[in-house]
Amino acid sequence: IVDRFRSLPMSNVAVLNGHVVSDLFRNTISTVVMLLAGLVLGFRSSASLTDWLLIAFILLLFTLAFSWLMAIMGVLAKSVEGVQWLSFIIILPVTFASSAFVPTANMNVYLKAFAENQPITQVIEAVRALMLGLPVGNYVFAAIAWSLGLLLVSIPIATYLFKRKTTQ
């Protein structure tokens, strides 16, 4: 289908953009469903409207950045299974070596240093603090900075790799 798209008068990068936008949309729906399930099960947030808007911005920005990072994996892999495997070896260690499941204070010194300075922890702690009315510290800034940094790196790399692959 990519060969068909290349024969049309459109940008080669439109295929990547469409994939990333559909990922963003799909992940937004998943997030809304999880939030609604949490509310049904009894979770109550003390976040203000401004906090909720900031939470939505952080999650959308991080999802966009991560989608572009995964687009690189999609271009590099030769099959769907390859994309799943590559994403698994990135997502699993970074998620489990974050504050998602265990407070970083309970980790050994090396794991703690990694966990406290990686993007997933920053996003989790920012959203957690905003939802629960806790002090946000620099988590919001760090989450946004990590997301923008990932975007600045992954968009040009994904675009370059995709253009190179489609011209071969």
Side-chain angles (χ1 to χ4, degrees):
I1 194 165
V2 173
D3 289 336
R4 174 69 179 126
F5 286 146
R6 280 193 305 162
S7 69
L8 296 172
M10 62 183 233
S11 169
N12 283 339
V13 184
V15 175
L16 274 180
N17 287 331
H19 178 72
V20 168
V21 169
S22 70
D23 276 353
L24 184 63
F25 183 71
R26 190 173 31 252
N27 287 321
T28 300
I29 291 172
S30 298
T31 302
V32 169
V33 168
M34 285 189 343
L35 283 171
L36 291 174
L39 290 171
V40 167
L41 293 173
F43 173 73
R44 297 296 177 257
S45 173
S46 61
S48 67
L49 177 62
T50 307
D51 291 340
W52 277 108
L53 291 174
L54 190 54
I55 289 167
F57 175 73
I58 290 169
L59 291 176
L60 285 170
L61 185 63
F62 185 70
T63 301
L64 182 66
F66 217 74
S67 293
W68 274 105
L69 189 62
M70 291 301 111
I72 294 171
M73 300 304 136
V75 173
L76 290 175
K78 296 184 186 332
S79 67
V80 173
E81 293 82 14
V83 173
Q84 291 173 338
W85 183 80
L86 282 171
S87 10
F88 179 76
I89 63 171
I90 291 173
I91 293 171
L92 184 73
V94 176
T95 302
F96 281 104
S98 72
S99 65
F101 304 110
V102 177
T104 57
N106 298 343
M107 297 178 182
N108 74 41
V109 67
Y110 303 110
L111 186 57
K112 180 180 178 178
F114 174 76
E116 289 179 345
N117 296 295
Q118 55 116 324
I120 292 181
T121 294
Q122 305 305 318
V123 171
I124 288 169
E125 292 298 332
V127 170
R128 186 179 287 153
L130 288 166
M131 279 191 172
L132 300 177
L134 302 172
V136 294
N138 68 345
Y139 291 121
V140 170
F141 172 76
I144 293 170
W146 266 107
S147 298
L148 292 175
L150 286 171
L151 280 171
L152 288 173
V153 170
S154 59
I155 291 174
I157 291 173
T159 303
Y160 169 77
L161 291 172
F162 185 75
K163 284 182 180 179
R164 192 183 82 191
K165 188 173 187 173
T166 57
T167 57
Q168 291 177 350

